[in-house]
Amino acid sequence: MKRVLIVGAGKGGSALLNILNATNILEIVAMIDINRNAPGLKLAKKQNIPIDNQWESWIDKNIDIVIEATGDEQVFQAILEHRSRKTVVIPGTVAYIISELFDEKQELLEKVELQMRNQALILNNIRDGMIVVNNQGIITFINKSAEEIMELKKHECEGKSIETIITNTHLPEILRNRRREVNQKLTLENDKQIITTRIPIINADNLLLGAFAVFKDITEVVKLAEENTDLKEIKTMLEAIIYSSDEAISVVDEQGLGMMINPAYTRITGLTEEDVIDKPATTDISEGESIHMRVLQTRRAVRGATLKVGPAKKEVYVNVAPMIVDGKLKGSVGVIHDISEVQALTSELKRARQIIRNLEAKYTFDDIIGKSPEMKIALEQAKVGARTPATVLLRGHSGTGKELFAHAIHHESDRKHHKFIRVNCAAIAESILESELFGYEDGAFSGARRGGKKGLFEEANNGSIFLDEIGELSLNMQAKLLRVLQEDEIVRVGGTNPVAINVRIIAATNVNLEKAIMKKTFREDLYYRLSRLPIYVPSLKERLSDLPLLANHIILKINQDYGRDVQFISKEALTALKEYHWPGNIRELENVIGRAMIYMGVHEKTIERKHLPDLTLNHSHQDGETVVLTTTEPLQSAVEKYEKNYIKKVYEQNNFNKTKTAKQLQISIRNLYYKLEKYQLAKGSRQ
């Protein structure tokens, strides 16, 4: 590195000091000036560069370059006489030119900065929101209108990837294809709907600099459209809505002449636009009166009218409403429903309800995959329980397969020819759970079915009832369930006479019931009634030796569901799966393998490591926090403490956005809501 001595600490010397010190190529040995108040000396002192008022003592200290910045010819000549032959002396005129160029640069920078401030001021005062990103998709500017629409602050957005602020943004596509998109509809994270135009930023050399989006709240757009549009635009919009609908729709004017129909109307009636448009409303009627004409005469809507339409005399029911604009009747709109389709859907719904209510156990112990010691213990306990009438309590984390065990226990018992009723105690509202479980008498409450209704316990008589999420029951319901277990009888809501039942109860929970007893949220007497035969279903992390068997089983299942032909999973992929901690257990494993198979090529037969989604091993100490576990703490309590801490940190990292948090945790949004409520993490946080 060349050693440089600057003689002269005036304007030129100061400019040279700034330039040379910024390059890191030359070493500035010292700065010399006879004037102790020279600005360059103060600057050098701040940068820890030696200063002096005499240059003679420095000229022989292996100086490679001397820059004479005083502009004094005598000083320049004196330096030339005293320098060694290898030392280069640069005259003061060069320093002067550099100083002038430096000033010009500063002046230009100030002009550019002023121009940018003016542009930002203009953009901040326009009514439309604006976001600008660079060619990497990083937000470089957001104006005040955008802040208001998005309900975010400038500092929360600038410098971040656009996809972390607006997850469904199309700006990255604009950067890829360099094509503008005009007047596109988009829903923001705060559920506001906007109309946006996206444009790439390309310079004169055809280089992509970035892109920007200009947008406004759709409510304002609609208001402007209502104020400025004409009848033709309204008709165009109406046609788009009608043509995209799966419902059969017909529109007539105030005279009862056909104005518009959609493809669904043609499918049901068999009539085309030529048959209907500008024809009387009675044209499509085979049997019955025209509901359009009745509505035009009465100016009142008609719902559920039945008639036959078209040459095939299709039986339909219709809903027709008048179109009234500014108090004037402009026509009517009718929606036609094929009665045969409605009847078919109703039958399917009844059948589905019947299947759900009278469901028999679908799985046996042969359907439970696992040869690990932990799984063998659980299976042996379950088989013992199946042969006894004892109440079974299945314990384990969410997604471990507790419901499969419940099915298998019922199927292996002497009750297998009777009903197997499943109840998710956390999914049914507290206000109706009692009537669902125990039934009700005639007139028990407003809206009760005449004659009363059997409860699920009566439906399961002589069979089994599976009470999932038993730990979520209220203390009131726990007391009533305890009576069922003690007395083998139930009392319907609104009734007084007990009804004897013979039901095998299989309960399941992922809640630490012992801890709940200590907190007085679960009855101790009910706990001892339920845990006659407790069975712990191990988590996937506790039986990783079963992972190859589970993976192959899931591959076969998904092949059938998705019509794929995947045959194997590679050792590298299995190794990656075994290194993951699987908080979602078997359910999460199915999700990971399913996603891998969806994105595989049609002809690919083996799941490779590259097909798997990112399985990040996140540990609590990465964020500077540690979960303190005591050696006397139960396993369930320790696991719950870790899960709570982990969910809390991911939730905070995603700025309390539930959708992003669920996506990162790779769980459903419903499951996330449940866990936030369980660990009391949702209170006080924003959506």
Side-chain angles (χ1 to χ4, degrees):
M1 183 179 291
K2 299 293 184 180
R3 293 165 57 83
V4 179
L5 178 67
I6 301 176
V7 180
K11 184 179 178 183
S14 300
L16 285 167
L17 178 63
N18 281 323
I19 294 170
L20 296 179
N21 206 31
T23 62
N24 293 323
I25 298 175
L26 303 174
E27 178 188 356
I28 302 173
V29 176
M31 186 166 222
I32 314 297
D33 200 295
I34 59 174
N35 181 8
R36 287 289 186 180
N37 295 319
L41 295 182
K42 295 178 181 179
L43 185 62
K45 198 171 182 181
K46 287 182 180 179
Q47 298 177 8
N48 295 321
I49 296 172
I51 61 175
D52 204 343
N53 61 351
Q54 297 293 331
W55 55 266
E56 289 86 350
S57 60
W58 294 86
I59 198 73
D60 296 326
K61 294 183 178 180
N62 294 322
I63 301 300
D64 298 302
I65 301 170
V66 178
I67 301 177
E68 191 283 306
T70 65
D72 190 328
E73 183 64 25
Q74 292 180 354
V75 175
F76 179 69
Q77 291 299 328
I79 294 172
L80 286 175
E81 292 174 2
H82 285 81
R83 60 151 185 167
S84 65
R85 283 186 298 173
K86 68 175 185 177
T87 304
V88 177
V89 181
I90 299 175
T93 52
V94 174
Y96 174 77
I97 293 170
I98 291 173
S99 173
E100 291 297 315
L101 290 173
F102 189 78
D103 288 345
E104 185 178 347
K105 174 189 172 186
Q106 288 298 115
E107 186 178 346
L108 286 172
L109 286 173
E110 289 174 2
K111 287 182 179 179
V112 170
E113 187 177 350
L114 178 61
Q115 185 179 6
M116 291 180 67
R117 282 201 301 267
N118 291 336
Q119 289 176 348
L121 183 63
I122 294 170
L123 294 175
N124 271 324
N125 285 280
I126 64 174
R127 295 180 63 187
D128 291 351
M130 174 177 281
I131 292 181
V132 182
V133 299
N134 63 17
N135 57 10
Q136 300 300 315
I138 304 300
I139 299 173
T140 59
F141 176 77
I142 174 174
N143 70 353
K144 290 183 179 178
S145 296
E147 289 183 80
E148 293 173 1
I149 294 172
M150 297 169 62
E151 298 178 358
L152 292 172
K153 296 298 182 183
K154 192 183 189 76
H155 67 85
E156 296 177 312
C157 302
E158 291 185 351
K160 297 181 180 178
S161 171
I162 183 65
E163 292 176 296
T164 64
I165 303 300
I166 306 175
T167 55
N168 55 347
T169 178
H170 280 216
L171 279 176
E173 294 182 21
I174 301 301
L175 294 174
R176 284 193 293 271
N177 58 37
R178 297 187 172 202
R179 289 197 296 268
R180 67 169 58 193
E181 292 182 355
V182 180
N183 294 337
Q184 300 296 307
K185 188 176 178 182
L186 183 71
T187 302
L188 297 175
E189 303 297 316
N190 58 3
D191 293 329
K192 283 188 178 179
Q193 292 187 333
I194 61 171
I195 292 294
T196 178
T197 294
R198 311 176 185 98
I199 300 174
I201 304 172
I202 301 172
N203 68 8
D205 297 324
N206 200 34
L207 292 176
L208 179 70
L209 304 180
F212 68 93
V214 180
F215 54 92
K216 62 176 64 181
D217 195 328
I218 199 169
T219 53
E220 184 177 350
V221 176
V222 171
K223 182 179 179 182
L224 291 173
E226 290 175 348
E227 293 175 352
N228 299 298
T229 191
D230 57 17
L231 183 60
K232 183 177 180 181
E233 291 175 338
I234 293 175
K235 183 180 178 183
T236 302
M237 192 185 305
L238 183 61
E239 285 177 343
I241 295 170
I242 290 175
Y243 273 86
S244 64
S245 174
D246 289 333
E247 301 284 355
I249 299 173
S250 68
V251 183
V252 301
D253 61 18
E254 65 271 24
Q255 303 298 322
L257 299 178
M259 290 177 59
M260 196 183 306
I261 61 171
N262 66 350
Y265 173 92
T266 300
R267 176 176 57 81
I268 290 178
T269 65
L271 299 172
T272 64
E273 289 186 347
E274 293 180 356
D275 300 323
V276 176
I277 303 302
D278 293 329
K279 303 289 176 52
T282 55
T283 301
D284 59 357
I285 307 299
S286 299
E287 293 182 16
E289 67 169 319
S290 170
I291 308 303
H292 275 301
M293 297 307 298
R294 189 199 302 179
V295 169
L296 293 174
Q297 291 169 3
T298 63
R299 295 169 65 102
R300 293 183 180 179
V302 174
R303 299 183 61 82
T306 58
L307 60 151
K308 293 183 179 180
V309 296
K313 296 185 177 181
K314 178 78 72 173
E315 189 174 4
V316 299
Y317 77 88
V318 298
N319 299 324
V320 183
M323 294 189 299
I324 299 175
V325 181
D326 294 332
K328 295 182 180 180
L329 182 66
K330 295 296 183 180
S332 61
V333 180
V335 180
I336 302 173
H337 301 273
D338 187 344
I339 287 180
S340 61
E341 290 182 2
V342 174
Q343 290 173 340
L345 289 172
T346 302
S347 298
E348 284 294 320
L349 181 60
K350 288 181 179 178
R351 182 171 174 271
R353 286 177 175 171
Q354 189 67 26
I355 290 172
I356 293 170
R357 180 58 57 85
N358 298 322
L359 180 66
E360 293 183 353
K362 296 188 296 184
Y363 306 106
T364 67
F365 285 113
D366 294 333
D367 297 312
I368 299 176
I369 308 300
K371 294 183 179 179
S372 63
E374 296 83 358
M375 202 62 179
K376 285 182 178 179
I377 292 172
L379 286 169
E380 287 172 5
Q381 291 176 332
K383 289 176 181 178
V384 170
R387 293 190 291 269
T388 70
T391 300
V392 175
L393 177 61
L394 299 168
R395 305 189 67 170
H397 294 292
S398 178
T400 53
K402 296 187 290 295
E403 185 167 338
L404 261 69
F405 272 76
H407 278 263
I409 289 170
H410 173 79
H411 194 276
E412 194 77 7
S413 71
D414 55 5
R415 299 171 180 265
K416 65 181 180 180
H417 298 299
H418 297 279
K419 294 177 182 178
F420 175 74
I421 303 296
R422 297 180 297 166
V423 182
N424 189 320
C425 300
I428 303 176
E430 175 72 18
S431 58
I432 63 171
L433 181 59
E434 182 179 357
S435 62
E436 285 293 315
L437 290 177
F438 307 125
Y440 55 83
E441 295 290 355
D442 187 6
F445 49 84
S446 177
R449 183 190 299 175
R450 181 174 296 179
K453 175 190 170 187
K454 280 185 179 181
L456 296 176
F457 271 100
E458 286 184 75
E459 291 282 0
N461 197 29
N462 297 318
S464 302
I465 186 166
F466 174 48
L467 300 178
D468 199 7
E469 304 290 353
I470 192 76
E472 302 302 322
L473 287 177
S474 67
L475 290 171
N476 179 48
M477 285 302 301
Q478 291 176 34
K480 294 183 178 180
L481 179 59
L482 180 63
R483 175 180 172 79
V484 176
L485 289 166
Q486 290 175 335
E487 307 297 338
D488 288 331
E489 61 183 26
I490 58 101
V491 177
R492 291 185 179 183
V493 176
T496 55
N497 298 323
V499 178
I501 57 170
N502 176 22
V503 176
R504 162 74 167 282
I505 294 178
I506 305 172
T509 184
N510 59 7
V511 173
N512 186 333
L513 295 182
E514 294 82 2
K515 190 174 180 180
I517 291 171
M518 294 175 63
K519 291 182 177 180
K520 306 296 184 184
T521 59
F522 199 86
R523 294 178 63 103
E524 188 174 5
D525 47 3
L526 178 59
Y527 169 77
Y528 290 118
R529 281 283 182 177
L530 289 173
S531 58
R532 292 274 180 83
L533 183 58
I535 298 172
Y536 177 73
V537 182
S539 64
L540 180 55
K541 186 178 180 180
E542 294 170 311
R543 57 184 189 109
L544 287 175
S545 60
D546 288 336
L547 201 145
L549 292 173
L550 290 166
N552 288 322
H553 175 76
I554 292 169
I555 289 170
L556 292 174
K557 177 184 175 184
I558 295 175
N559 278 338
Q560 294 175 351
D561 293 343
Y562 294 165
R564 303 304 296 269
D565 189 29
V566 177
Q567 300 294 327
F568 311 100
I569 181 167
S570 70
K571 291 183 178 179
E572 292 77 12
L574 279 173
T575 301
L577 294 178
K578 287 181 178 180
E579 291 174 351
Y580 185 55
H581 57 290
W582 298 109
N585 292 295
I586 310 299
R587 192 177 293 123
E588 185 179 6
L589 178 63
E590 289 182 349
N591 177 278
V592 169
I593 294 177
R595 278 193 290 164
M597 292 175 64
I598 288 171
Y599 290 111
M600 286 175 64
V602 176
H603 302 293
E604 291 182 293
K605 303 288 185 183
T606 302
I607 299 176
E608 302 288 351
R609 176 65 184 89
K610 64 181 181 179
H611 296 128
L612 298 175
D614 290 334
L615 300 172
T616 306
L617 292 170
N618 293 317
H619 299 288
S620 59
H621 65 269
Q622 290 177 339
D623 293 324
E625 296 181 23
T626 304
V627 180
V628 179
L629 304 177
T630 63
T631 55
T632 59
E633 192 170 18
L635 176 62
Q636 181 72 14
S637 176
V639 172
E640 286 182 350
K641 184 180 292 185
Y642 177 85
E643 184 179 56
K644 177 182 178 180
N645 186 66
Y646 182 72
I647 292 173
K648 179 183 177 183
K649 284 183 292 183
V650 175
Y651 194 30
E652 290 172 349
Q653 288 170 5
N654 286 289
N655 202 22
F656 302 103
N657 184 298
K658 293 183 176 66
T659 303
K660 291 181 181 178
T661 302
K663 184 177 180 181
Q664 184 172 336
L665 293 174
Q666 298 184 9
I667 62 176
S668 68
I669 189 69
R670 181 177 178 274
N671 195 6
L672 176 63
Y673 270 98
Y674 165 71
K675 290 183 183 295
L676 291 176
E677 184 67 26
K678 173 183 176 182
Y679 296 126
Q680 297 182 341
L681 297 176
K683 295 180 180 178
S685 62
R686 61 189 181 86
Q687 300 299 315

